[in-house]
């Protein structure tokens, strides 16, 4: 959500930010609604004062034994006008809130210009892309030939974009998540959380999925949303809370199932596990002092990178351009892992600084001793990392010519010492 005060003060700056995201100017409509609402509010205040004054006079006349018919009629007329004004104020407020709720965060000045993924800017690379003396195969070919991955079985139960894992690959899913959680809680200072996977409207509104992206989510008949990412419940831990400045930063992590309808993904990644309706992810969320969020973004990205370093996976980090960033982000780094089977880098983590955009929507604040009032916190989120995509990367980068998979040393303690997956 945006600060109306800042839009009033610098409408051109606001519209330039939206233009960088490929959007038309919005400040004229916003300021028109804002001015109309403020005018009604002023009129309402005046009418309330008049009503209170007239009511006081009615009381005085009655106590003095005098008639007050005219004043009583005035009070009733004012009451009717006040009711209409309050309804108009609510209407204008709802229109204004709905318009604001559908507008994305403004990109920071350091964000590169551009319209889509082709305009993103590479920041750094780690390790050379894996090469083989044989033709590299994709993860779904490897998994199916091992007899440990089945999309057909999943389709019988659930349809397209689901998978059944068995044996060593089912254990690898659990091993990867446990490895990531141990790293983030043991070394990176995050507190593990086990949050709900079903949330109400206010939670997905607070992090920016509603109202604009409802079609990307799964909804139950009794009013719940299945979380698209643990960012939703983790960030909402501070919803409507006022924290003490000394308690910041708050760093939390969770391994959860995630559910996405992939409404706009028709024809994209139809084979394999890249784009699923259900997948699991280890999420990182930070709630920080506004002065610390830029530094925290670098820290969070480094935490996600460390997962890939320890798994021995080549990757690169890119800064997303203004036109490719997510709705709530002010700045985003994507970490893209190398997949030999595809011969390209694919996203495995996205780390974003949202500034106070989400905090305004959900009412997350902090107070500093000795200062009046409160301020909005800054929130950040990132994948630390997507578990299914990490498995894809392990399968493709650690494949052998005979179709077996070497288990990365970092995962072996989590897989009972298993060093090689040769079928099941």
């Amino acid at each position: 959500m945006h600060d109306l005060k800042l839009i009033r003060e610098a409408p051109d700056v606001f519209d330039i930010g939206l233009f960088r995201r490929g959007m038309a100017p919005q400040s004229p409509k916003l300021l028109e609604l804002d001015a109309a609402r403020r005018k009604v509010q002023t009129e309402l205040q005046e009418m309330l004062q008049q009503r209170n004054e007239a009511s006081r006079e009615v009381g005085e006349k009655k106590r003095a034994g005098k008639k007050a018919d005219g004043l009583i009629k005035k009070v009733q007329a004012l009451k009717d006008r006040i009711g209409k004004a309050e309804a108009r104020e609510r209407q204008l407020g709802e229109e204004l809130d709905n318009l604001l709720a559908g507008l994305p965060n403004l990109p920071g000045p350091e964000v590169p210009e551009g319209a889509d993924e082709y305009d993103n800017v590479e920041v750094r690379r780690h390790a050379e892309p894996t090469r083989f003396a044989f033709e590299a195969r994709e993860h779904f070919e490897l998994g199916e030939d091992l007899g440990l991955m089945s999309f057909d079985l999943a389709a019988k139960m659930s349809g397209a974009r689901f998978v059944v894992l068995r044996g060593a690959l089912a254990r690898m899913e659990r091993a990867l998540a446990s490895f990531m959680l141990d790293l983030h809680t043991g070394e990176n200072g995050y507190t593990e959380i086990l949050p709900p996977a079903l949330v109400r409207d206010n939670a997905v509104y607070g992090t920016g999925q509603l109202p604009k992206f409802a079609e990307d989510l799964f909804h139950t008949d009794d009013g719940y949303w299945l979380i698209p990412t643990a960012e939703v419940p983790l960030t909402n831990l501070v919803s409507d809370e006022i924290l003490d400045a000394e308690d910041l930063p708050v760093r939390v992590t969770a391994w959860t199932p995630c559910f996405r309808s992939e409404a706009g993904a028709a024809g994209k990644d139809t084979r394999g596990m890249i784009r699923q309706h259900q997948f699991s992810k280890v999420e990182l969320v930070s709630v920080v002092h506004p002065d610390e969020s830029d530094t925290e973004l670098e820290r969070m990205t480094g935490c996600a990178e460390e997962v890939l370093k320890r798994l021995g996976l080549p990757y690169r980090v890119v800064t997303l351009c203004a036109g490719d960033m997510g709705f709530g982000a002010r700045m985003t780094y994507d970490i893209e892992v190398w997949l030999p089977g595809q011969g390209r880098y694919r996203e495995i983590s996205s780390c974003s600084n949202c500034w106070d955009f989400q905090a305004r929507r959900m009412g997350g604040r902090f107070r500093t001793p000795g200062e009046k009032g409160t301020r909005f916190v800054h929130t950040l989120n990132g994948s630390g990392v997507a578990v299914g995509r990490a498995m894809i990367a392990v399968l493709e980068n650690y494949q052998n010519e005979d179709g077996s998979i070497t288990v990365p040393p970092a995962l072996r303690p989590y897989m009972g010492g298993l060093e090689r997956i040769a079928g099941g």
Side-chain angles (χ1 to χ4, degrees):
M1 190 70 79
H2 295 283
D3 186 350
L4 260 176
K5 181 174 180 291
L6 295 180
I7 298 174
R8 292 185 202 118
E9 293 173 351
D12 292 344
V13 173
F14 181 75
D15 286 336
I16 289 171
L18 293 179
F19 175 78
R20 295 180 65 199
R21 280 188 172 266
M23 295 186 64
Q26 298 295 319
S27 67
K29 181 61 175 177
L30 287 168
L31 295 179
E32 178 186 345
L33 287 170
D34 179 47
R37 184 179 65 165
R38 294 169 77 186
K39 180 181 178 182
V40 172
Q41 288 172 336
T42 299
E43 293 171 349
L44 187 56
Q45 282 297 111
E46 292 173 352
M47 285 188 287
L48 287 169
Q49 290 176 0
Q50 292 173 19
R51 185 196 64 182
N52 292 339
E53 179 63 25
S55 296
R56 184 185 61 79
E57 292 181 20
V58 168
E60 290 177 352
K61 285 184 176 293
K62 285 186 175 181
R63 284 192 294 272
K66 298 178 180 179
K67 291 184 178 181
D69 295 348
L71 285 171
I72 291 173
K73 288 181 180 179
K74 180 180 180 181
V75 169
Q76 185 59 51
L78 284 168
K79 182 178 179 181
D80 293 340
R81 290 173 59 196
I82 287 169
K84 292 178 181 178
E86 288 175 336
R88 177 61 175 159
E89 182 194 17
R90 284 193 299 271
Q91 177 193 348
L92 290 168
E94 288 173 2
E95 289 182 32
L96 186 57
D97 289 344
N98 289 338
L99 181 54
L100 283 170
L103 298 177
N105 203 350
L106 302 183
E110 67 276 34
V111 172
E113 303 297 331
D116 52 36
E117 61 184 292
Y118 300 105
D119 296 315
N120 296 337
V121 177
E122 184 173 313
V123 178
R124 56 183 172 271
R125 293 191 180 196
H126 172 78
E128 290 297 316
T130 307
R131 307 292 182 188
F132 297 105
F134 54 90
E135 184 177 352
R137 303 164 70 192
E138 293 198 53
H139 69 281
F140 51 84
E141 300 173 290
L142 294 162
E144 288 176 330
D145 284 354
L146 288 168
L148 304 178
M149 180 184 294
S150 176
F151 300 94
D152 291 338
L153 281 175
K156 287 182 181 181
M157 297 179 279
S158 307
R161 298 194 187 276
F162 291 93
V163 66
V164 170
L165 301 176
R166 68 170 76 232
L169 291 193
R171 183 163 187 175
M172 182 178 283
E173 173 98 2
R174 175 162 49 94
L176 283 163
S178 296
F179 159 69
M180 295 176 201
L181 288 173
D182 285 351
L183 174 61
H184 295 316
T185 59
E187 299 184 32
N188 294 336
Y190 290 86
T191 298
E192 184 175 354
I193 302 292
L194 183 60
L198 293 168
V199 294
R200 295 291 195 186
D201 291 2
N202 61 296
V204 276
Y205 175 86
T207 47
Q209 283 80 16
L210 287 184
K212 194 174 180 66
F213 302 102
E215 68 171 5
D216 294 328
L217 309 177
F218 286 109
H219 191 254
T220 71
D221 292 337
D222 53 352
Y224 290 100
W225 299 89
L226 279 70
I227 60 170
T229 164
E231 170 200 345
V232 175
L234 292 182
T235 308
N236 273 278
L237 292 174
V238 299
S239 175
D240 294 321
E241 296 288 330
I242 298 178
L243 307 175
D244 291 327
E246 61 188 21
D247 294 329
L248 299 176
V250 174
R251 298 185 178 112
V252 287
T253 184
W255 171 37
T256 67
C258 305
F259 306 90
R260 296 183 186 176
S261 70
E262 297 294 348
K268 297 180 181 177
D269 298 306
T270 54
R271 296 277 328 258
M273 293 174 55
I274 287 284
R275 202 178 295 272
Q276 297 268 282
H277 288 314
Q278 176 185 330
F279 58 96
S280 72
K281 185 154 65 84
V282 172
E283 186 74 1
L284 306 174
V285 163
S286 296
V287 180
V288 303
H289 190 285
D291 295 343
E292 302 298 327
S293 64
D294 291 340
T295 301
E296 186 70 12
L297 178 60
E298 304 297 328
R299 180 190 186 279
M300 176 179 283
T301 306
C303 292
E305 287 183 70
E306 187 63 26
V307 171
L308 303 185
K309 288 178 181 177
R310 297 199 186 187
L311 290 174
L313 297 172
Y315 68 86
R316 68 175 185 172
V317 179
V318 300
T319 303
L320 297 195
C321 69
D324 197 35
M325 287 196 307
F327 181 80
R330 176 181 168 87
M331 181 175 178
T332 298
Y333 289 123
D334 267 10
I335 304 174
E336 300 178 344
V337 69
W338 175 256
L339 299 183
Q342 293 191 18
R344 59 185 288 206
Y345 289 98
R346 296 299 301 266
E347 178 201 337
I348 194 170
S349 173
S350 190
C351 298
S352 298
N353 184 359
C354 298
W355 266 37
D356 63 356
F357 184 81
Q358 292 178 326
R360 287 181 180 278
R361 296 172 76 100
M362 64 184 186
R365 299 171 178 265
F366 73 98
R367 64 163 61 90
T368 301
E371 294 184 5
K372 291 183 179 180
T374 60
R375 297 171 64 188
F376 289 106
V377 296
H378 280 193
T379 62
L380 301 93
N381 62 80
S383 307
V385 295
V387 178
R389 293 197 178 192
M391 180 185 293
I392 291 169
V394 168
L395 294 179
E396 294 197 11
N397 282 277
Y398 283 89
Q399 62 181 291
N400 301 305
E401 190 170 8
D402 64 0
S404 64
I405 308 296
T406 299
V407 178
L411 283 188
R412 293 173 188 173
Y414 296 91
M415 297 194 66
L418 184 67
E419 297 182 4
R420 181 171 166 270
I421 301 173

